[in-house]
Every structure is written in structure tokens, then in C-alpha cells.
Amino acid sequence: MRDQKNEANRLTKPFKIVWGRELTMIDVKKQLLEDLNQLKLDNSVLQPNTTYDNRKYQQPEMIIIGLEKDCTIYKRTFIKYQFIQLKKRSISKKFESWIGYDDFNGDLIQVHLCLCGRKADQCDAMENFMNNRAKKVSSKNRFSFRCPSIAVIGSDGSGKSTVTTDLEKWFSKKLDCRRYYLGSGDHYNPIYKQGLRTIVRWFGRSRSSNEQQAVNTGKSQLKKTPDRVLKKGLKKGYCHLNAFYLYRISVHSLKQLKKSNDFSKNGGISLFDRFPQNQFMGINDGPKIRKAYGTINSPIINCLMQMEEKNIGRCVKMSPGLVIKLIVSPEIAVTRKPDHSILELERKADIIHTLSFRDAVIHNVDASQQYDIELKAIKKLIWNYLFQCSKTNG
């Protein structure tokens, strides 16, 4: 019972970097070079200039030309510093590519390892490798195992979109990474949303016209004007169109998850900005039609409501492997989102703490700390998780 309680506390306590305590920052590239020198292996180590054009090929930070008999030693050294072996290319059967995370700089480090049978063949292997590398390695790297998906969730103002966008840019420098937006905000703007805005504009014009007429005739019935306008069909049309729009959000999320599933199977990294849940209705990416229009007696809305909940239920079954919860206080969130109610932000923050995901590793990160420190903490958590997955699947 005590171990379970400690584990629960670990998952609910926001993760915050304190230099020299939670994380020990080391210069991985420097330590790797020192270890290779101490081992005194028959190898050649090159450190190419990394100022290159990303569109041509993935430039490694280090190229090692060694002997086949030392293969186990190299792998043991790479694993010591949490390097992950990438999917093999067709350059050579004796060629391996490894990638690791540098705690000190917060960057990814790629190492190419080319093994030869004899020491005399190292020069020829180096020449062939350098000639073929730019021609063959033109696409982004992927892992050799199925890469679990990663979801970043949080209340409004926690910085979900900013974090996932920066993570995608960071991963894409060396790895094949895609970001999927699974929410209903400004990042998802289908034609149904434009129809809703048109109806709102029509309603605004009608209300403005009725208000002006009431003023001209001296009638004080401005509060009754919206009801009369809505009864003419705008309210009914708006409710049905909005219910259809909410249903299409669930369809969009399900399609995105299916795409990401195929992508992850081939070793790509899938990042989710938000993730659907069915534990709370009408809020935090949960089903919305029942709470918004469940009291309306309409067969169309009832059908859309059932289909939306079914789609979100299917999304929930495709749970991510790693969930990063961005924890921020409502007082800070309201300064970032001044158009939101603090009471609503408090409720959303409480829900984020409560949300659970099936078979997922969950980490809380303090989103109120300095952003570069927060982002580095998230990178470290993700890389630790990917390294453990590589050991399990390797």
C-alpha cells in the first residue's frame, strides 16, 4: 500500500527541474568521446561540421569507423548514455546509426558507426561511406521498433500547442516526427465552423435592426428581441449545425489517431496536442453534444450525439503510451487567456489532475516555470521513456 501511495504521489506532483537535484546534467558527447579514448579501440572518430542543409540529409555529430570484433563494446557504450539504435538503412550491412539526448545542451546527438573486418579496410570504408551517405540517407530517421505515441494535455493557458510545436521542430531535426491536433480550437477550422460564424453574424444584424426599431418606436422590449429572432429559425439551425460540427470534431480526431497509429508502427514519433476523453462531458475534449443539446427533442441531434460518443469511445481505446500533463494555476492561466473565466479554468485544472489513461505512463510538469527549463524537462522525460521502450522492444 505504501508503494502504491508513493507512486500516486509521484504521478500527481508537478515535475520541476532543480539543477543538481532531480536531474544531473552531463555533456553526453564529451563523455562519449572520453570513454572511447579510454577503451583504446582501433577506430577513427570524426566530428563533421554540423552547419548543413537539412533538406539534403541528416548530418551526424560523430562518425566512428571501428572493427567488427568491438561491436559489443560500442553498443554497450551507447546504451550507457541512453542512445537508441535507429532503423537500418541500405547503405551497408555493417553500418549502424544511433541517436541520443544531450542533457547539457538539450539537443539530439546522432552517431554513425561503420564496422570493418580489418584495420586496413577502415580508410576504404570511410571513403565509401562519405561518398554514399548524401545519396542514400535522404529521408528522416525512424526507430527500429514501434514508437509509442505521446500526448500533451493541460488546461487552457498551459501552453499545449506551444510545447507540441517546439517538440515537433526539435525531433524533426533528426527523426521523423508528426504533430496531430485533436482539439476544437483555432487549429481546427473546417467549413462547418465558418457556417456557424455566418449564422452568428446574421443573428447580430437582426438583433441590431430590431434594437434600432425599438428605439425609434419608443418601445422598451430589447430583452425580448433576441427571443423573437431565435424563434424564426436561427436558433434551431444553429443548434443542429453546431451539433454536426461537434460530431465532425470526433470524426477528425478518430481519423488523426488512425493515421498516427500507422505512422508509429513504422517507427515514427506521434505527438498529440490534446487527447479525447469520456470521463467528463462537455469539457476538456470530452463529448459535448449531450451536455449542450441533450434536452432538445430532435432525432438528428440524438443521432449525432450517439455517433460522437461512439467515436470518442474508440479514440479512448487508442490510448497514448506517454501522457505529459502541463500543470498551471488558474491565476497564471487567466493572465495568458484573459478572455476565459477563472472559475472555468479552475474546473479544467481540477479535471486535468483527475484524468486517467489506460496503460499510459503519466508525468506532471510544472508549466508555470521558465519555459526553456520546462521544455528541457519535457524532453528529458520523453527521451527516458523512449529509451525504456527501446530496451523492452529491442
Side-chain angles (χ1 to χ4, degrees), residues 107-144:
D107 296 328
L108 294 175
I109 300 176
Q110 188 173 359
V111 177
H112 287 341
L113 175 64
C114 187
L115 301 174
C116 305
R118 301 177 304 167
K119 186 176 181 179
D121 298 333
Q122 289 183 341
C123 293
D124 293 337
M126 174 69 74
E127 184 178 356
N128 293 333
F129 172 76
M130 296 300 293
N131 291 335
N132 294 329
R133 178 166 52 92
K135 298 177 182 179
K136 301 290 184 179
V137 186
S138 57
S139 58
K140 291 185 178 179
N141 298 303
R142 294 189 179 186
F143 292 120
S144 57

Side-chain angles (χ1 to χ4, degrees), residues 2-64:
R2 181 175 296 178
D3 294 339
Q4 293 178 356
K5 185 176 180 180
N6 291 337
E7 180 67 12
N9 291 335
R10 184 186 68 82
L11 295 179
T12 56
K13 182 181 177 181
F15 182 88
K16 186 172 183 178
I17 287 185
V18 179
W19 301 109
R21 293 183 183 179
E22 271 85 349
L23 295 177
T24 302
M25 300 296 167
I26 61 172
D27 191 333
V28 173
K29 184 177 178 180
K30 180 179 178 181
Q31 291 295 325
L32 183 60
L33 287 171
E34 290 180 358
D35 281 12
L36 291 175
N37 290 331
Q38 291 176 2
L39 291 171
K40 297 181 179 180
L41 302 175
D42 290 328
N43 58 34
S44 300
V45 179
L46 297 181
Q47 299 183 63
N49 183 4
T50 56
T51 57
Y52 62 96
D53 187 352
N54 261 334
R55 294 171 295 178
K56 293 183 179 179
Y57 54 85
Q58 310 302 308
Q59 180 83 340
E61 279 69 28
M62 194 181 303
I63 302 173
I64 302 174

Side-chain angles (χ1 to χ4, degrees), residues 36 73 97 134 165 168 241 266 295 390:
L36 291 175
I73 300 177
S97 186
T165 300
E168 183 188 25
L241 184 57
N266 295 318
T295 58
S390 69

Side-chain angles (χ1 to χ4, degrees), residues 73-216:
I73 300 177
Y74 286 117
K75 289 184 177 181
R76 189 164 56 241
T77 305
F78 291 150
I79 292 174
K80 174 183 176 181
Y81 294 105
Q82 292 192 335
F83 274 73
I84 302 173
Q85 187 173 2
L86 299 174
K87 185 178 291 186
K88 289 193 175 183
R89 304 282 186 174
S90 59
I91 295 178
S92 172
K93 295 180 180 179
K94 301 177 182 179
F95 168 77
E96 295 179 1
S97 186
W98 294 73
I99 193 163
Y101 174 68
D102 190 348
D103 296 334
F104 189 76
N105 299 314
D107 296 328
L108 294 175
I109 300 176
Q110 188 173 359
V111 177
H112 287 341
L113 175 64
C114 187
L115 301 174
C116 305
R118 301 177 304 167
K119 186 176 181 179
D121 298 333
Q122 289 183 341
C123 293
D124 293 337
M126 174 69 74
E127 184 178 356
N128 293 333
F129 172 76
M130 296 300 293
N131 291 335
N132 294 329
R133 178 166 52 92
K135 298 177 182 179
K136 301 290 184 179
V137 186
S138 57
S139 58
K140 291 185 178 179
N141 298 303
R142 294 189 179 186
F143 292 120
S144 57
F145 56 93
R146 179 189 176 120
C147 185
S149 55
I150 303 164
V152 178
I153 67 171
S155 62
D156 295 332
S158 59
K160 300 179 293 294
S161 298
T162 303
V163 168
T164 51
T165 300
D166 288 343
L167 286 175
E168 183 188 25
K169 292 178 181 178
W170 176 67
F171 273 121
S172 296
K173 293 179 181 179
K174 297 291 183 182
L175 298 165
D176 201 354
C177 176
R178 296 177 188 175
R179 173 179 172 268
Y180 300 90
Y181 180 77
L182 303 182
S184 58
D186 296 334
H187 299 273
Y188 179 59
N189 191 24
I191 190 172
Y192 325 110
K193 206 173 193 178
Q194 300 173 17
L196 292 172
R197 291 171 179 169
T198 302
I199 291 180
V200 170
R201 284 198 299 269
W202 287 347
F203 172 72
R205 292 173 184 173
S206 299
R207 180 175 181 178
S208 175
S209 176
N210 289 331
E211 287 179 355
Q212 185 63 38
Q213 183 180 0
V215 171
N216 294 337

